[in-house]
Amino acid sequence: MRKTKNIRLIAALLIILLVVLGVSGCSSSISSSDNSERYGVNITEKKVVNVKDIYTNPNEYLNQTIRLEGEIVRECGSGCWFFLEDKTGTIYVDINPSGLSIPPKVGKKVVVEGVPENKNGRISIVGKGVEF
C-alpha cells in the first residue's frame, strides 16, 4: 500500500515538473500587447542597417550593436540560427550564443538587434534580440 502511494506521489511530481518546463519553454520569449513576439533583449536601435552595407563596409559595423530588418529565408530546425534577407542581400544570424531559440518562422518578417562579427573571413550577426 505504502509503495503505491510513493509511486503516485512521484508520478504527480513528475507531471507537475513537465507542466512547469512546458510552460517556461527553452527560450526567453516575451509577447507584447501589439501581438508581436520578442526573444532576448529589447530592441533599442532605431537606425536600420542593410545587409549590403555590412558586407561592403564590415569594419564600420563590426563589434557594434546594429538593427536589421528583413525576412527569415532559412532556419535551423531547433531555432538557434537563421538567414535574414532584406532587399540588399542575405546574412547569417546566430542567436545560440545569446541562449536564444525561436519557433519555425521561415517566410516571416523579422527585426534583429545584434553584433556583426568576422569569423575566418565570414561576416555574420550574433543576435541579441529578435522580434516578429
Side-chain angles (χ1 to χ4, degrees), residues 26-99:
C26 63
S27 66
S28 56
S29 170
I30 302 168
S31 295
S32 63
S33 60
D34 64 358
N35 292 327
S36 65
E37 292 177 64
R38 184 177 70 241
Y39 298 82
V41 302
N42 289 330
I43 295 178
T44 58
E45 290 295 316
K46 302 298 181 209
K47 181 182 178 216
V48 178
V49 176
N50 65 48
V51 173
K52 181 181 177 184
D53 287 344
I54 296 168
Y55 286 135
T56 304
N57 303 306
N59 291 332
E60 184 177 332
Y61 300 102
L62 290 177
N63 303 313
Q64 295 184 35
T65 302
I66 63 166
R67 175 187 182 121
L68 294 163
E69 295 182 2
E71 180 180 314
I72 294 180
V73 293
R74 188 169 162 217
E75 180 181 355
C76 167
S78 63
C80 60
W81 58 260
F82 57 89
F83 283 91
L84 178 147
E85 182 177 278
D86 67 10
K87 62 183 184 269
T88 67
T90 305
I91 196 162
Y92 176 82
V93 178
D94 190 0
I95 58 175
N96 190 48
S98 299

Side-chain angles (χ1 to χ4, degrees), residues 103-123:
K105 295 287 186 179
V106 172
K108 301 290 184 187
K109 298 291 181 196
V110 65
V111 178
V112 174
E113 185 168 286
V115 179
E117 66 178 14
N118 184 342
K119 282 190 179 176
N120 303 320
R122 181 177 167 200
I123 306 295

